[in-house]
């Protein structure tokens, strides 16, 4: 499990998401992708992957003398934790500022709006179930 005190930078999160989608993966494979995307060298990728390993976001296993990296938990799970930390730490536990932001955001696609509606329906269903148990 990733320690709560460990944070991720934007670039680290992007790298973690790529590893999550392609694991188990070697530094070489990640570096080839990253170089084509950003122009950064293999050593930079290695440093970031080692940092992610030390922070507890990645595991590595040696296969045929080459380390293969995998996430300790899915990138989606890490994102949920980051959002939770943001809501509790920055917004004081209130999701209303986040909801207000979403209503003002003009770049939401029809699919994203549909997904949000499904989430609200799920929240309403969960609330109804809790009321029935009480």
């Amino acid at each position: 499990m990733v320690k709560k005190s460990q944070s991720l930078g934007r670039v680290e999160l992007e790298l973690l998401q790529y590893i999550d989608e392609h694991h188990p993966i070697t530094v070489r494979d990640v570096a080839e992708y990253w170089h084509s995307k950003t122009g950064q060298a293999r050593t930079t990728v290695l440093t970031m992957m080692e940092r992610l390993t030390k922070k507890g976001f990645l595991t590595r296993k040696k296969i045929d003398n080459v380390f293969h990296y995998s996430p300790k938990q899915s990138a989606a799970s890490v994102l949920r934790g980051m959002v939770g930390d943001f809501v509790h730490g920055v917004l004081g536990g209130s999701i209303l500022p986040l909801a207000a932001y979403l209503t003002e955001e003009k770049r939401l696609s029809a699919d994203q709006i549909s997904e949000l509606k499904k989430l609200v329906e799920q929240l309403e269903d969960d609330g109804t179930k809790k009321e029935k148990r009480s």
Side-chain angles (χ1 to χ4, degrees):
M1 190 84 184
V2 175
K3 298 174 189 167
K4 249 190 176 240
S5 62
Q6 295 295 348
S7 63
L8 280 175
R10 188 175 44 87
V11 175
E12 288 176 321
L13 179 60
E14 193 173 336
L15 193 66
L16 180 62
Q17 288 171 318
Y18 181 78
I19 293 167
D20 186 41
E21 292 168 5
H22 298 90
H23 73 91
I25 191 167
T26 64
V27 171
R28 178 182 179 183
D29 292 335
V30 176
E32 285 176 6
Y33 161 76
W34 205 251
H35 180 74
S36 70
K37 182 178 173 154
T38 67
Q40 292 181 329
R42 179 186 184 281
T43 54
T44 303
V45 172
L46 176 60
T47 300
M48 286 192 292
M49 290 175 71
E50 287 301 316
R51 189 177 302 137
L52 288 169
T53 301
K54 286 180 184 172
K55 286 182 173 185
F57 290 100
L58 295 178
T59 62
R60 66 182 191 179
K61 181 179 181 181
K62 203 172 219 180
I63 302 171
D64 295 329
N65 258 358
V66 177
F67 283 116
H68 290 73
Y69 290 78
S70 294
K72 279 196 175 179
Q73 58 188 22
S74 71
S77 179
V78 171
L79 278 173
R80 276 192 301 277
M82 291 173 74
V83 170
D85 289 347
F86 176 76
V87 168
H88 293 286
V90 176
L91 303 180
S94 173
I95 62 164
L96 294 179
L98 182 59
Y101 168 80
L102 291 174
T103 62
E104 295 169 5
E105 181 59 40
K106 304 298 183 215
R107 295 178 289 180
L108 291 176
S109 70
D111 287 343
Q112 290 172 319
I113 293 170
S114 176
E115 285 297 315
L116 285 170
K117 287 178 180 178
K118 287 178 189 175
L119 289 170
V120 169
E121 288 172 8
Q122 184 179 355
L123 285 170
E124 290 172 341
D125 289 347
D126 290 348
T128 303
K129 288 177 187 173
K130 285 181 183 177
E131 287 175 8
K132 287 181 181 178
R133 281 187 259 157
S134 297

